[in-house]
Amino acid sequence: MPPSASLTPDQRRSLVPTKVRYGVVGFALSLAILSYIQRVAISQAATPIAADLHLDKQQLGAVLGAFGLSYALFEIPMGLFGDKMGVRRVLAQVVLAWSAFTALTGAAWNLTSLWIVRFLFGAGEAGCFPNLTRMLSQWLPRGERIKAQALMWASTRWGGAVTPPLALFGINLFGWRWSFVAFALLGVVWCAAFLRSFRDNPRDDPRVNAAELALLEESQALISHKHSEGWFRFLFRPKPLMLMAQYFCWSYVWYFFVTWLPTYLREAHGQSAAATAGLAVLPLLFGGFGSLVSGLLPVRISRRWVAVGAFAAVTVLLLLVPHVSNVAIVIAMMAAISFCGDLTVPISWNSCVEVGKSYTATVSAAMNMFANFSGFIAPVVAGVILAHNGNNWNQVLQLMAVFSALGAILWILLDPSAERSARQGPVALEESLQP
């Protein structure tokens, strides 16, 4: 007779890990989606905003870039704040803050007020992914954490994908000003559920049994691991710098989909607002598929060369788009660009483990900071090009191709796998993360 046969039903149940951690994953995925809905909504509202506030292309580009600037500037400080104060407190505060500024977007009356509101909105959202990464690291065992991270990044794309039709519906129903208030209320609802259910430490949640805590022991060690050398100096080594630079290159291209794409489809291809809302869904939708495919690739496939191939494909497609007039083919090519480019996203975040080792979180935050500087630069540069070159969209696309080609070159030079032999410390890193 097996030993468990003599146990009571309650004792047998205690041997099976509870699944409270899956609820934490649900909070991470829902917030990832919500953050992208609130940040992408302005791209669909760009035309009525520009008309009401009398903004030209260059001014609108500055407004769209304000988010990226503050998001980049506050990325590391918000991550450090979460490490010190705890995820529960920080996430609740920043979600309420950025939701307030989402609502205040609808109260803007001129260029300056709109720029300030969007800048402050970006500062709040900067706290999202550093703290979600910490939350998943603390609440999930290694294997589950890999899958959850890949799904989280896919969810961000899908959240962005559903935003254009949602925003169009809200604009038609409430007007662009009140539609931002409606989006803000979603953040308040999320905070109420989060504060009620989430605890920073699994040990503080009475729903977590001993078996589930045992699964999370190594994750707890990872979170509590102390760094022994200066992080600032480490970031200026060649490999961390190349990792940051290649992520900047893809982000420069990606931000086109969440800022200028609706305007491009209207002006370069004569699409209506309704058609634009539907077409703009596809690139972000397929970007999510790219993230999932990348996360599920077999370990034996070199992530480094997948990234090289992905950037090369993006470059070729961007150079071909200006020569295509059929809007259906153009949007299919945009979806393919998004799919290929987002293949590099899980690879980039996983490479932070190989390159950063004990500084994995620091390298991740710095990489994301660099990426979001492109969120400031790319929309502004595109606005300047359009304002001074007669709405020449071809030049905008060609410059994006230059950055994607640079990304391919950086991945040829960057080999995160070479760091494996130097891996040190008590926390072993997942083999399935090998780029």
Side-chain angles (χ1 to χ4, degrees), residues 13-18 208-216:
R13 280 194 294 270
S14 69
L15 297 175
V16 178
T18 47
V208 179
N209 68 2
E212 189 171 24
L213 285 175
L215 286 177
L216 304 178

Side-chain angles (χ1 to χ4, degrees), residues 34 37-39 41 95 98-107 121 163 166-190:
L34 175 63
I37 288 175
Q38 291 181 324
R39 75 173 69 175
V95 173
W98 90 52
S99 295
F101 289 117
T102 297
L104 287 172
T105 300
F121 167 73
T163 302
L166 280 177
L168 181 63
F169 175 79
I171 291 168
N172 290 337
L173 188 63
F174 307 117
W176 71 267
R177 294 182 182 276
W178 284 103
S179 66
F180 281 98
V181 175
F183 284 132
L185 292 176
L186 297 175
V188 176
V189 172
W190 186 91

